Amino acid sequence: MVTTSVETDGSAPGAPPRGRYRSLDGVRGLAAFAVVVCHCFLTIPALAQAYVDPNVMDRTSPSGIAAFSPLHVAWAGTEAVYLFFVLSGFVLTLPFARANPASWAGYYPKRILRLYLPVWAAFVLAFAGLSLFPREFPAEASLWLHAHVPALPARAIVDDLLLYRGPGLSNSALWSLRFEVLFSLLLPVYVFAGRKLPKLNVLKAVLLMAAVLGYSGTGLSARFFLPMFGFGCLMAIERERLANLGEAIDRLRFGRAVWWAVTLAALLLLNSYWTVRGMTSDPSALAFWVPVSRGLIVAGACLAIFAAVAGPARWLETAPLQWLGTRSFSLYLVHEPIVVSAAVALGGTPTLPVILAVAVPISLAVAEVFYRVVERPSQRLGRLVSQRVETRRATRRAPVAEPVPAAPAGP
């Protein structure tokens, strides 16, 4: 089983009674790195075409193989974000799924500061990239690069700073943070719905999957993304059953082989959209299978988290993955302007080895600085504010001591 440390944070997963699933840091780090690699791949015109019109791609070409084979899991950026959503549902629910749940009064200031302070700093960094490397690309540059706007209207700046609506124009990676904020604000509703009538949790999971499938074609819609957090919430509430299932697998004669099969199944499910795209270009078939594949991606994310928290996932606790996991939020926030700026500096048409060799190390280095200068201080500030809110709340609720009557005076 996976070991835990004693540290618990509102943005980090924990294990009862208090703790942190170190293996989930490894999952988070791998997912963030996949997003970075994905954006590097999208600077290549042939690979960016897979996200624009995959039907025109030659499935047997190198770019077609990279896009439609299981190899795509190495740069499955969208799927990594789905995994982040399920993971956030699991992580944020845990403190409130215990017998003695955390306080909502302390949760909100910590969570808001944890999200918004790094986002605002990332906006400044992105704006600096826009100023130093104007977004001008040759005609033959990838469509993904051409989609980056050269200037920011005032309304877009406000939207990016508040994570209010739409994809981030200064930093396209900010699109997912909008749903993280929505879920964070709605967390009490998720926890109440998850804990109420626990015998119906399987039915709740079915309803969540129905929502994912039903709203699959709605684009950047809260109706599509918010149910993903619900799966993580239910997994946190059912964590004891998941742990018991993991122990049952461990006791099997071929338990380790079963865990490897679970991990492989998770990866294949996460890649199911591209597998479907590679198998057919028939519109009627895609109309059915594309929504189904997105549901399978969510199932793969749940399976990956189950394998991480209940399986023998020591490899996820290695030092490099732990470092990557603790810096994953910083890496996610800073990398996209760096990738685009690197592509600009390389003439707008970099080769894949060159953009990877330039953008990835710079992104990792900047993420380390960003973590030390911005993210970690924001975590500390959030905890400090949360503790003060909790202290004031406890003081207001403390009963007022009755005055002790004075002893009668002597004769």
Side-chain angles (χ1 to χ4, degrees):
M1 301 298 292
V2 176
T3 59
T4 61
S5 70
V6 296
E7 179 185 0
T8 297
D9 184 89
S11 62
R18 287 186 72 84
R20 180 187 183 99
Y21 287 111
R22 289 169 52 83
S23 57
L24 287 184
D25 286 328
V27 172
R28 186 184 294 108
L30 288 173
F33 192 77
V35 175
V36 178
V37 173
C38 177
H39 284 157
C40 289
F41 274 48
L42 292 180
T43 64
I44 310 304
L47 295 171
Q49 190 65 39
Y51 284 82
V52 178
D53 188 2
N55 292 331
V56 304
M57 295 184 67
D58 179 7
R59 267 59 173 174
T60 62
S61 66
S63 57
I65 294 172
F68 302 114
S69 75
L71 296 175
H72 194 122
V73 76
W75 58 293
T78 302
E79 292 76 6
V81 173
Y82 290 10
L83 178 58
F84 280 136
F85 289 165
V86 179
L87 186 57
S88 288
F90 184 87
V91 166
L92 294 183
T93 300
L94 277 175
F96 304 99
R98 298 193 298 262
N100 297 313
S103 166
W104 293 111
Y107 157 76
Y108 275 108
K110 179 167 62 175
R111 184 62 177 166
I112 295 302
L113 291 171
R114 172 76 172 86
L115 287 174
Y116 274 100
L117 293 181
V119 165
W120 293 341
F123 174 85
V124 174
L125 183 64
F127 192 79
L130 284 168
S131 303
L132 295 173
F133 300 93
R135 304 313 195 217
E136 298 175 357
F137 305 101
E140 61 271 20
S142 82
L143 294 174
W144 182 76
L145 288 174
H146 278 294
H148 288 75
V149 294
L152 290 175
R155 181 174 177 178
I157 293 176
V158 173
D159 287 349
D160 278 3
L161 292 177
L162 297 182
L163 301 174
Y164 179 57
R165 58 188 161 199
L169 295 182
S170 64
N171 181 348
S172 63
L174 295 182
W175 75 266
S176 68
L177 272 298
R178 172 194 173 198
F179 301 104
E180 291 279 359
V181 169
L182 280 174
F183 167 69
S184 298
L185 296 176
L186 294 172
L187 182 60
V189 178
Y190 280 81
V191 173
F192 175 81
R195 300 190 69 174
K196 193 73 173 178
L197 301 174
K199 292 183 179 180
L200 297 181
N201 279 349
V202 173
L203 176 60
K204 296 173 191 175
V206 171
L207 294 176
L208 288 172
M209 182 58 71
V212 169
L213 297 177
Y215 294 113
S216 175
T218 57
L220 295 178
S221 167
R223 295 172 297 177
F224 174 57
F225 291 113
L226 288 181
M228 298 181 188
F229 296 92
F231 286 99
C233 178
L234 289 178
M235 292 181 71
I237 291 169
E238 296 290 348
R239 66 199 182 282
E240 292 184 5
R241 291 186 181 180
L242 296 179
N244 292 337
L245 178 57
E247 292 173 357
I249 294 175
D250 289 338
R251 289 193 296 267
L252 295 175
R253 182 177 179 182
F254 301 105
R256 187 166 293 274
V258 172
W259 282 119
W260 281 113
V262 169
T263 303
L264 178 60
L267 294 175
L268 292 175
L269 289 171
L270 286 168
N271 202 60
S272 56
Y273 171 83
W274 297 104
T275 301
V276 167
R277 283 290 190 179
M279 293 174 61
T280 181
S281 58
D282 178 63
S284 59
L286 290 174
F288 173 78
W289 283 110
V290 166
V292 171
S293 70
R294 289 180 175 138
L296 295 176
I297 293 169
V298 176
C302 294
L303 205 58
I305 293 172
F306 167 65
V309 301
R314 295 286 185 180
W315 63 278
L316 290 170
E317 300 179 22
T318 56
L321 290 183
Q322 289 296 297
W323 179 89
L324 197 59
T326 55
R327 275 74 174 168
S328 58
F329 187 46
S330 293
L331 180 61
Y332 185 82
L333 288 177
V334 306
H335 81 275
E336 192 261 9
I338 294 172
V339 172
V340 178
S341 298
V344 172
L346 294 170
T349 56
T351 62
L352 184 58
V354 171
I355 191 67
L356 288 171
V358 173
V360 172
I362 294 177
S363 296
L364 294 174
V366 174
E368 172 66 18
V369 175
F370 192 90
Y371 173 77
R372 291 175 178 270
V373 175
V374 177
E375 184 183 358
R376 189 164 59 183
S378 73
Q379 292 174 348
R380 292 171 177 168
L381 178 61
R383 286 193 292 267
L384 177 62
V385 173
S386 177
Q387 290 168 1
R388 290 188 175 181
V389 169
E390 290 291 344
T391 300
R392 290 181 181 179
R393 180 170 176 267
T395 301
R396 288 197 302 267
R397 289 193 171 189
V400 178
E402 293 292 336
V404 178

